[in-house]
Amino acid sequence: MIQLKSPREIDTMAEGGRVLADTIVMLRDEVRPGMTTLELDRIAEDFIRSHDGAIPSFKGLYGFPGSLCTSINHEIVHGIPSKKRLLLNGDLLSIDVGVKFGGMFTDAATTVAIGEVDVTSQRLLDVTERALNAGINAAQPGSHIGDIGAAVQEVVEAAGFSVVRDLVGHGVGYKPHEDEPQVPNYGKPKRGTKLMPGLTIAIEPMVNAGGARMRTLPDRWTIVTADGSRSAHFEHTVAITEQGPRVLTSPG
Ligand code: MG
């Protein structure tokens, strides 16, 4: 069942989302070649907890050990922060973060270039971020879930990249992942659930430089591209309002 949020609850989500977005800004500034993903995780957890009432919501979620998901190169999502994972010049690092604040959850992700990356990797970053923005712009009241997916898919496929189909965006707010609605990164305009004010969703294109297929590593968390190609991931938590989409994970 889709659970709409009140304007007050959406404001609370925006407050937590600001801490989350500030965390991402801070991490983008801190990250450099030679760091491990566990170091980043520690910095993020301390930063989030330094804000009164904010906690990292991924930690312990379904047993996940980190505050961040850190996914490198061909890893799409759900990489586990580790002292053994050293970031190297030329890597792509996807950082996915969740925050709980005032009883409400927000979720956002970014992918960063570590040092200098190759031309295709940079284009993958640009296209995926552009696809996210297209998806957000399509999230207008009265439009449909399919409009979001169609907007994302169009940007990605026009660039010659692939949308991951086996993972989707999701409802968010009362829980880190709400079962409904699902928000695929592909679709047809005017199809699917109608977007109503009060709907809060995580829009999160996951885009592969090669094919769309994926597989899960033996650690049972890390999801990688089946063909070994690189992948990028950008995400915002967005509320549908009478005035249009409101990004709740914006920096302060
Ligand atoms: Mg996320």
Side-chain angles (χ1 to χ4, degrees), residues 18-32 35 39-51 67-68 95 97 110 112 251-252:
R18 194 178 312 127
V19 174
L20 195 167
D22 286 346
T23 306
I24 286 177
V25 169
M26 180 276 296
L27 290 172
R28 288 191 79 102
D29 190 51
E30 288 287 325
V31 68
R32 49 187 46 86
M35 284 182 95
E39 281 176 79
L40 276 184
D41 189 72
R42 297 241 162 97
I43 295 170
E45 178 170 3
D46 289 347
F47 183 86
I48 292 167
R49 291 189 192 277
S50 74
H51 296 77
S67 295
L68 305 176
I95 302 170
V97 197
T110 193
V112 294

Side-chain angles (χ1 to χ4, degrees), residues 58 69 77-78 95-98 106-109 170 176-177 202 204 233 235-237:
F58 289 176
C69 295
V77 286
H78 302 168
I95 302 170
D96 197 348
V97 197
T106 48
D107 193 347
H170 50 89
H177 294 106
E204 51 173 328
H233 179 207
E235 174 181 28
H236 273 304
T237 294

Side-chain angles (χ1 to χ4, degrees), residues 122-135:
Q122 186 58 54
R123 203 164 64 82
L124 184 65
L125 294 185
D126 296 343
V127 166
T128 309
E129 188 165 23
R130 199 144 46 78
L132 170 60
N133 289 328

